[in-house]
Amino acid sequence: MNYLDGIFEQHLKNENLGRIYTGHNEHIRRIYLDFNDSLQVQMKNTPSLPKPNLYVTTLSSEFSVFTFKAQGHYFIGISIGTIEALSRFFQFLYSQPYFDPDFGDITKERETALDLSLNPDYLLNYFYNYDLDISPNCLARKTFAIQVFFKAINYLLLHEYAHITHGHLDYLSRGKQNYFYYEKDTINVGNADIEKALEYDADSAATAHSLKDDTLFSMFGALAISEYNLKLNIKELNIAVYFLNKLTELTDIDFEDYAHKSHPISDQRTSTHIDVTSTYFMQRKDHFSFDVNSVIEYGIDVIFKLAALAYSKMFNKEPIDDKLIFFYSKQGLPYLNNVRSKWNTVRNELKSYAYVEIASENELLNGERLFDYEEIIEKKRSRDVDRSGEI
Ligand SMILES: [Zn+2]
């Protein structure tokens, strides 16, 4: 029995499969409703899309999100631990006065001293186990934090759904009736570039659907949306996606490992999210009564001037990760080209499994901004030395 089959047997088939969580948890009820809405939007024009059951498993402390098929039926699963930890994290974020200081009444908030530089393997587990009260005191900030949390969960589930509708699960299962796909970063020599290509594809779909499924769009149509409301929604989504990527990443991945990792590094995933968002709005710019460029730029500012700075303060790390710089440099390009070329091969096979049209050749990971990585890092180093006054 292989690793994934083992998890399926141990955690799902015998214990939790069929045992949907029925506790009185408002969060879980809302997750079901939100995700169901998202599925309805997607199925409206494509009625043949599969309708997976959503399982909330009682697996508690472990970060686990997965998709699987059993006897040819599709399922998406998420653990209560993931739900609780994400909810707590976003509330923690908005309880910190240095985060988003222009929003709500920060005089009510007090900074929590919390040593997050401990770097547990999965940061999410840290928030699941954290037992202080970390809710924001300002009601507006608390409400916003909960909105961001729901956006994050929905994004996660849409990502899983894309693994089904884009045929990834059927492609990987090679005709087996039962197959389990667990979102856990693994070192996978030989198959890693294919898995990464599928992850980028699922991410792109989750971003596109998060934008498309927006209730503002479906209720009023693009023309009726104010620039202010759209920016607010982009802010929720971008904070959600940035931290989701950061929190679910294994820490301290080095470049050598990247080639063998099943999942892309978090900053590169976020960067892809920005690219897809920009493309999405540029393609629809005539549908809006305002300049979409200002919305795109606002979304980028949310990531770099708000989310990345808060991450840097919380975890005592560089705001712009060296890894992100690397993957936009001459040195990093071959790694991305490997993933892109795998996509170009794999997508032809995927077509026979997919329920929707999938990205065309070279569409994943476009945008090449080339500079010399060593040069940039050297400049950064000398700047840091200047600042510290050692030279
Ligand atoms: Zn995935």
Side-chain angles (χ1 to χ4, degrees):
M1 193 186 294
N2 70 28
Y3 173 66
L4 293 176
D5 286 342
I7 293 171
F8 182 82
E9 284 292 323
Q10 191 189 340
H11 294 302
L12 294 164
K13 206 171 163 193
N14 297 334
E15 276 184 43
N16 293 308
L17 191 60
R19 265 179 35 189
I20 300 174
Y21 180 75
T22 52
H24 298 290
N25 186 324
E26 206 46 55
H27 282 165
I28 292 173
R29 235 193 313 277
R30 164 97 188 259
I31 288 165
Y32 275 106
L33 291 175
D34 278 4
F35 186 55
N36 212 38
D37 284 353
S38 293
L39 294 190
Q40 294 304 333
V41 172
Q42 293 184 54
M43 282 170 196
K44 210 162 61 184
N45 300 320
T46 321
S48 62
L49 284 178
K51 300 177 183 62
N53 283 335
L54 177 60
Y55 276 83
V56 175
T57 75
T58 47
L59 292 172
S60 56
S61 65
E62 190 179 351
F63 169 73
S64 85
V65 182
F66 47 86
T67 181
F68 62 99
K69 62 174 190 175
Q71 311 301 326
H73 293 286
Y74 297 105
F75 300 87
I76 291 173
I78 185 167
S79 69
I80 287 180
T82 307
I83 293 169
E84 293 296 334
L86 279 174
S87 155
R88 292 172 70 77
F89 172 77
F90 287 114
Q91 295 206 40
F92 170 77
L93 190 63
Y94 267 94
S95 71
Q96 302 306 297
Y98 57 78
F99 184 70
D100 204 358
D102 300 329
F103 186 81
D105 182 2
I106 52 159
T107 60
K108 292 182 175 175
E109 313 299 349
R110 214 155 34 92
E111 195 174 326
T112 316
L114 187 62
D115 189 5
L116 293 171
S117 58
L118 293 170
N119 289 339
D121 271 356
Y122 283 101
L123 292 170
L124 269 186
N125 287 350
Y126 195 85
F127 283 92
Y128 182 74
N129 293 320
Y130 191 62
D131 57 3
L132 284 178
D133 181 16
I134 46 174
S135 237
N137 293 313
C138 166
L139 186 64
R141 289 173 71 81
K142 187 178 169 69
T143 310
F144 199 79
I146 293 172
Q147 281 298 115
V148 173
F149 153 71
F150 283 121
K151 278 260 192 332
I153 297 278
N154 207 43
Y155 182 91
L156 258 185
L157 299 179
L158 288 171
H159 171 105
E160 295 311 311
Y161 189 51
H163 279 316
I164 297 171
T165 53
H166 289 209
H168 302 172
L169 210 54
D170 288 319
Y171 165 77
L172 291 169
S173 67
R174 302 272 175 218
K176 277 190 237 157
Q177 282 285 297
N178 300 330
Y179 189 78
F180 188 91
Y181 188 78
Y182 192 38
E183 293 289 352
K184 189 157 190 161
D185 228 346
T186 47
I187 297 292
N188 182 351
V189 179
N191 216 23
D193 283 332
I194 292 178
E195 289 201 19
K196 275 199 284 287
L198 300 182
E199 288 305 322
Y200 279 120
D201 186 41
D203 277 351
S204 303
T207 295
H209 283 296
S210 295
L211 296 166
K212 232 185 276 179
D213 297 354
D214 199 301
T215 42
L216 284 173
F217 283 78
S218 44
M219 281 167 71
F220 305 113
L223 263 177
I225 302 177
S226 71
E227 188 173 350
Y228 175 81
N229 279 339
L230 188 56
K231 282 182 176 171
L232 212 56
N233 272 31
I234 289 298
K235 183 171 156 185
E236 286 173 2
L237 180 66
N238 285 6
I239 293 172
V241 171
Y242 176 83
F243 282 106
L244 198 56
N245 287 338
K246 280 290 189 194
L247 293 169
T248 55
E249 178 174 60
L250 273 169
T251 50
D252 298 329
I253 300 296
D254 62 40
F255 298 133
E256 301 307 313
D257 283 344
Y258 175 82
H260 308 299
K261 251 166 59 73
S262 62
H263 283 63
I265 59 165
S266 62
D267 282 336
Q268 188 61 45
R269 297 177 88 161
T270 301
S271 162
T272 301
H273 167 75
I274 294 174
D275 286 345
V276 174
T277 305
S278 308
T279 308
Y280 181 88
F281 283 120
M282 288 317 287
Q283 283 173 349
R284 288 161 185 78
K285 62 179 192 297
D286 297 339
H287 298 284
F288 293 93
S289 54
F290 45 84
D291 181 11
V292 290
N293 277 306
S294 79
V295 177
I296 294 170
E297 279 161 25
Y298 177 78
I300 293 172
D301 280 352
V302 164
I303 287 178
F304 289 108
K305 295 185 183 161
L306 201 63
L309 287 184
Y311 175 82
S312 144
K313 182 173 166 59
M314 267 185 210
F315 298 96
N316 197 20
K317 290 187 171 180
E318 297 257 347
I320 309 272
D321 210 299
D322 285 357
K323 283 179 278 189
L324 183 62
I325 298 173
F326 178 79
F327 284 109
Y328 280 113
S329 70
K330 282 189 293 197
Q331 287 85 345
L333 194 67
Y335 288 90
L336 288 186
N337 278 341
N338 283 345
V339 178
R340 190 183 294 132
S341 89
K342 279 286 186 249
W343 171 255
N344 290 342
T345 318
V346 156
R347 67 171 299 281
N348 294 320
E349 279 187 71
L350 279 178
K351 272 198 293 191
S352 56
Y353 299 111
Y355 291 85
V356 291
E357 212 174 298
I358 52 175
S360 47
E361 287 189 12
N362 296 319
E363 201 174 297
L364 279 193
L365 304 170
N366 53 10
E368 298 167 14
R369 283 146 269 189
L370 297 184
F371 46 78
D372 194 283
Y373 177 73
E374 301 295 342
E375 236 171 68
I376 296 262
I377 294 301
E378 194 44 53
K379 267 188 205 155
K380 260 177 80 175
R381 254 184 232 127
S382 54
R383 206 183 51 212
D384 289 346
V385 171
D386 282 352
R387 270 198 206 133
S388 70
E390 281 173 22
I391 289 178

